[in-house]
Amino acid sequence: MARLYLNESPFPPSPRVVEELARSGYVLNRYYDRELWNKLIKLLSHYAKLPREYVSPYPSSSEALCKLLRLARRERLRAVSLRPGFHAMKDFARVEDVELEYFDLELPSFELDVDKLLKTVDENTMLFIFNPNNPTSNVLIRDPSIVREIASRVRILVIDEAYYEFSGITFAPLVKELGNLVIVRTMSKAFCLAGARVGYVLASPEMIKRLDSLRIKFDIPIPSIAAAVAALQDLDHVKKVVEAIKVMRSRMARELEAMGLRVLPSATNFLFVEVGVRGTEVAAKLREKGIMVTAFDDPPSIQNFIRVSIGKEDENARFLRALREVLKEMGRLAN
Amino acid sequence: MARLYLNESPFPPSPRVVEELARSGYVLNRYYDRELWNKLIKLLSHYAKLPREYVSPYPSSSEALCKLLRLARRERLRAVSLRPGFHAMKDFARVEDVELEYFDLELPSFELDVDKLLKTVDENTMLFIFNPNNPTSNVLIRDPSIVREIASRVRILVIDEAYYEFSGITFAPLVKELGNLVIVRTMSKAFCLAGARVGYVLASPEMIKRLDSLRIKFDIPIPSIAAAVAALQDLDHVKKVVEAIKVMRSRMARELEAMGLRVLPSATNFLFVEVGVRGTEVAAKLREKGIMVTAFDDPPSIQNFIRVSIGKEDENARFLRALREVLKEMGRLAN
């Protein structure tokens, strides 16, 4: 099976991770390792170019998003997310018992109409923006002044930068100026550590205190911390991974466009492709051919799309071959 | 510092854990490893002597307890815990936004008066019993018929068996007969995996479904699963660890009693010791001497106790020496 449906990195993490993981085994009888934890904070602080008190690691960015939703419930805020947007938010809202509202992106290219957004949100809103967005792969905001404006109009502005290393765009420096801005990042993508479940939050010390008060002690396992530390000590590996994925992504986008398909401009490790027929059907047929991709029935505007992660060379080639066959079968491509 | 305050194992986990952890590094770019997960379920099922559908691993027993409290909130149940009891329950209730009620154990030995308990709980209660109890170290229930009776009088009965390997007492077989019984266990103690944050729930498939619906996907990191799998494959190690701790525990209890202190009968990897003076003061003075133990101001009935984990031989000796000094300083022991 080619796993191209979770936007995982096709490459394993830095070889240093293996060593550090093994080493963590010798202290696994302990709930925490202060030294390792401090190393992680220091490395993240250096990586995000922010003082330590602006950084808080979480057991996955998913958990950080859950805790933010929990904060919204506690403080009786409206939680608003964009649509189409990160589909897991629905699950997070369910487990956190939060009713999520949606704001629609503009067709046909799923862009953000900021003026319209500002008319929808209010001073009682916790707004979630995934930048770049998922599943649409595009960047929604490039300009810090837009972030400043939105932040001034909501209670809390959460910007998820899961694909920061691919987009090169971050608003992390703004957390020093905007007390209500929360940046959420993950080590699952460019750092190739999805299985370690490590993410982090960048925000004002006050905001971090509020958020951290909603979690329990020792919630990040020592081996995960060790893996994150090792990965952060090998930024060359991250750079190589990101470059390799970008090269393959361009090639794949060109091939898909050559098939007459619309591909959204991607700033991530995946592509969002308009296939012209029901995406869930295409995904089911691809699965029969050993290729796993994602498609969505909701919202209707993306029913004719599939989301495909950039995999290894041979996986991408197999995907393209299989997609051609499927679209021919479905009458969408000429034989 | 001698860490004798978290009831950690003083011994590292099975050497197999190190190997398996290292191996997990090569698949860490993935969110999950189906094969490894299935292995964990199979091993836990075998270990707990229950069919697979009665077993659900959690990212720590703490998280399982949190999800249970979440269930209580969702279903508008009274959450009742025993007092003195597991102090972290207060934190769990706080983060899960649940008001916890307490039922007092009987002085002077912190035993459970079942008849009195049955008058307090009702069909709307989720009752938490830690058996053996923490911090009191004693077994509260030995007889399955008591469990049956309590279960028949509450909505959900949760029994935490964190120290099962030390007590030898489990009510796990009853989950096949009692649909509202939930057994919570951890791999943090006898398996020496505190840092991996792996626990598990044993309950009816229906109960597990209800509980699992409150969690998010991929919430246990791959290295933690790998560590748990390796540890479960080396039960000899667990046996040796438990035996060694029991031997040291008896010796330590005798020495403390020789000092004229009351020691509660322990079925755990720690001792609960009546020191005759304020426990928090003793703990603070011990800390100055490089020994970390726990003491509690709440409830008042345990203010003159300290809780000390069984450590390595030399740590235990250092603790005893330091305690003697401290109690002499405090006028509790003759010079």
Side-chain angles (χ1 to χ4, degrees):
Chain A
M1 274 289 178
R3 276 163 70 144
L4 305 178
Y5 76 118
L6 289 171
N7 300 342
E8 296 163 335
S9 162
F11 307 110
S14 161
R16 291 193 190 195
V17 167
V18 170
E19 280 169 56
E20 201 65 52
L21 273 175
R23 211 194 324 268
S24 78
Y26 299 103
V27 297
L28 227 47
N29 50 317
R30 302 299 178 185
Y31 280 99
Y32 68 90
D33 185 313
R34 184 69 57 202
E35 205 183 315
L36 202 58
W37 177 259
N38 288 341
K39 240 189 224 175
L40 177 59
I41 302 282
K42 188 178 165 181
L43 285 162
L44 283 175
S45 153
H46 188 257
Y47 181 66
K49 300 190 183 71
L50 285 168
R52 293 180 194 205
E53 60 272 27
Y54 286 79
V55 176
S56 187
Y58 271 80
S60 80
S61 60
S62 300
E63 264 305 331
L65 293 165
C66 283
K67 295 298 187 284
L68 282 157
L69 286 165
R70 191 176 297 188
L71 187 68
R73 189 169 58 71
R74 294 290 180 96
E75 305 197 354
R76 297 173 192 280
L77 305 181
R78 293 169 59 196
V80 178
S81 197
L82 308 186
R83 186 165 55 188
F86 187 40
H87 63 291
M89 280 295 281
K90 202 175 149 183
D91 296 318
F92 303 163
R94 184 179 45 79
V95 303
E96 294 295 339
D97 208 6
V98 168
E99 201 159 331
L100 200 57
E101 294 177 43
Y102 294 100
F103 174 82
D104 288 315
L105 295 171
E106 294 299 300
L107 294 179
S109 295
F110 308 106
E111 274 151 13
L112 177 62
D113 183 331
V114 177
D115 290 332
K116 212 192 266 181
L117 174 71
L118 292 178
K119 280 173 202 142
T120 309
V121 296
D122 58 27
E123 72 288 349
N124 202 33
T125 299
M126 180 184 286
L127 176 67
F128 292 85
I129 297 180
F130 292 75
N131 197 53
N133 193 31
N134 180 359
T136 59
S137 81
N138 57 327
V139 174
L140 298 178
I141 306 177
R142 296 176 182 277
D143 183 351
S145 68
I146 302 283
V147 174
R148 283 192 189 93
E149 181 158 20
I150 299 174
S152 75
R153 304 282 282 274
V154 297
R155 184 79 68 86
I156 297 176
L157 172 59
V158 180
I159 300 185
D160 180 286
E161 296 183 344
Y163 300 96
Y164 154 61
E165 289 81 3
F166 297 93
S167 73
I169 295 170
T170 181
F171 299 113
L174 296 185
V175 300
K176 287 175 99 172
E177 143 193 356
L178 304 171
N180 67 338
L181 174 64
V182 179
I183 304 288
V184 177
R185 290 212 196 136
T186 180
M187 299 197 64
S188 296
K189 309 300 182 184
F191 285 92
C192 315
L193 286 185
R197 316 307 292 121
V198 180
Y200 56 100
V201 158
L202 306 171
S204 70
E206 295 72 29
M207 182 63 83
I208 281 178
K209 210 171 287 168
R210 266 156 87 191
L211 210 54
D212 282 355
S213 75
L214 302 175
R215 65 200 285 196
I216 62 173
K217 274 183 194 160
F218 316 135
D219 59 0
I220 313 183
I222 292 178
S224 296
I225 300 173
V229 162
L232 281 158
Q233 285 171 333
D234 189 359
L235 296 179
D236 269 355
H237 185 79
V238 174
K239 212 167 154 181
K240 272 184 233 160
V241 163
V242 170
E243 283 315 310
I245 289 174
K246 280 182 173 176
V247 168
M248 294 192 289
R249 186 182 70 194
S250 306
R251 207 179 302 148
M252 201 147 112
R254 273 200 308 274
E255 298 245 22
L256 289 163
E257 282 165 348
M259 288 162 68
L261 305 176
R262 182 161 75 112
V263 180
L264 264 80
S266 170
T268 65
N269 70 349
F270 61 90
L271 291 174
F272 199 52
V273 189
E274 190 169 17
V275 286
V277 284
R278 193 76 166 214
T280 48
E281 257 178 74
V282 173
K285 284 177 190 286
L286 285 172
R287 202 185 164 117
E288 282 165 27
K289 295 177 190 288
I291 316 280
M292 296 165 86
V293 303
T294 312
F296 306 87
D297 273 334
D298 182 52
S301 59
I302 61 170
Q303 283 178 352
N304 285 358
F305 284 79
I306 59 171
R307 190 192 73 183
V308 57
S309 317
I310 307 302
K312 289 178 201 136
E313 292 274 17
D314 62 309
E315 293 174 320
N316 301 335
R318 274 173 58 207
F319 159 73
L320 286 166
R321 216 163 33 238
L323 181 66
R324 241 177 238 117
E325 289 168 15
V326 166
L327 292 180
K328 274 178 192 167
E329 272 175 45
M330 293 178 76
R332 174 69 180 80
L333 278 188
N335 277 294
Chain B
M1 274 288 178
R3 278 163 68 143
L4 305 178
Y5 76 118
L6 290 172
N7 301 342
E8 296 163 335
S9 162
F11 307 110
S14 160
R16 292 194 190 195
V17 167
V18 170
E19 280 168 56
E20 200 67 51
L21 272 175
R23 211 195 323 269
S24 78
Y26 299 104
V27 297
L28 227 47
N29 50 316
R30 303 300 179 184
Y31 279 99
Y32 69 90
D33 184 315
R34 184 68 58 202
E35 207 182 314
L36 202 58
W37 178 258
N38 288 341
K39 241 190 224 173
L40 177 60
I41 302 282
K42 188 178 165 180
L43 286 161
L44 283 175
S45 153
H46 188 257
Y47 181 68
K49 299 190 184 69
L50 284 168
R52 294 181 193 205
E53 58 272 27
Y54 287 78
V55 177
S56 187
Y58 271 80
S60 80
S61 60
S62 300
E63 264 303 332
L65 293 165
C66 283
K67 295 300 187 285
L68 282 157
L69 286 165
R70 190 176 299 188
L71 187 68
R73 188 170 56 73
R74 294 291 179 97
E75 306 196 354
R76 297 171 191 283
L77 305 181
R78 293 170 57 198
V80 178
S81 197
L82 307 186
R83 186 167 54 189
F86 187 40
H87 62 291
M89 280 294 281
K90 203 176 149 183
D91 296 318
F92 303 163
R94 183 178 44 78
V95 304
E96 294 295 340
D97 208 5
V98 168
E99 202 160 329
L100 201 56
E101 295 177 42
Y102 295 99
F103 173 81
D104 287 316
L105 295 171
E106 294 300 301
L107 295 178
S109 295
F110 308 106
E111 273 149 16
L112 177 63
D113 183 332
V114 176
D115 291 333
K116 211 192 269 181
L117 174 70
L118 292 178
K119 280 174 201 141
T120 309
V121 297
D122 58 27
E123 70 289 348
N124 203 33
T125 299
M126 181 183 285
L127 176 65
F128 293 85
I129 297 180
F130 292 76
N131 197 53
N133 193 31
N134 180 358
T136 59
S137 82
N138 56 327
V139 175
L140 298 177
I141 307 178
R142 295 177 183 276
D143 183 350
S145 69
I146 302 282
V147 174
R148 284 192 190 94
E149 180 158 20
I150 299 175
S152 75
R153 304 281 284 273
V154 297
R155 184 78 68 86
I156 297 175
L157 173 57
V158 180
I159 300 185
D160 181 288
E161 297 183 343
Y163 300 96
Y164 154 61
E165 288 81 3
F166 297 92
S167 73
I169 295 170
T170 180
F171 299 113
L174 296 184
V175 299
K176 286 174 100 172
E177 144 193 354
L178 303 171
N180 66 338
L181 174 63
V182 179
I183 304 289
V184 177
R185 292 215 195 130
T186 180
M187 300 198 62
S188 296
K189 310 299 181 184
F191 287 92
C192 315
L193 286 184
R197 315 308 292 119
V198 180
Y200 56 101
V201 158
L202 305 172
S204 69
E206 295 70 30
M207 182 63 82
I208 281 178
K209 209 171 288 169
R210 264 155 89 190
L211 210 55
D212 281 356
S213 75
L214 302 176
R215 64 201 285 195
I216 61 172
K217 275 183 194 160
F218 317 135
D219 58 1
I220 313 183
I222 291 177
S224 296
I225 300 172
V229 162
L232 281 159
Q233 285 171 335
D234 189 358
L235 296 179
D236 268 356
H237 184 80
V238 174
K239 214 168 153 180
K240 272 183 234 161
V241 164
V242 170
E243 283 317 309
I245 289 173
K246 280 180 172 178
V247 168
M248 294 191 289
R249 187 183 68 195
S250 307
R251 206 179 303 147
M252 202 147 113
R254 273 199 308 275
E255 299 244 21
L256 289 162
E257 281 164 351
M259 289 162 67
L261 305 176
R262 181 163 76 112
V263 181
L264 264 80
S266 170
T268 64
N269 69 351
F270 61 91
L271 292 174
F272 199 53
V273 189
E274 191 170 16
V275 286
V277 284
R278 192 76 166 215
T280 48
E281 256 178 74
V282 174
K285 284 178 190 287
L286 285 172
R287 201 186 164 116
E288 281 165 26
K289 295 178 188 287
I291 316 278
M292 296 165 87
V293 304
T294 312
F296 306 87
D297 274 333
D298 182 53
S301 59
I302 60 170
Q303 282 178 353
N304 285 359
F305 285 79
I306 58 170
R307 190 192 72 183
V308 57
S309 317
I310 308 303
K312 289 179 201 137
E313 293 274 17
D314 62 309
E315 292 174 321
N316 301 335
R318 276 174 56 207
F319 159 72
L320 287 165
R321 217 167 27 242
L323 182 66
R324 241 178 238 114
E325 289 168 16
V326 167
L327 292 180
K328 273 178 195 167
E329 273 174 47
M330 294 177 75
R332 174 69 181 80
L333 279 188
N335 277 294

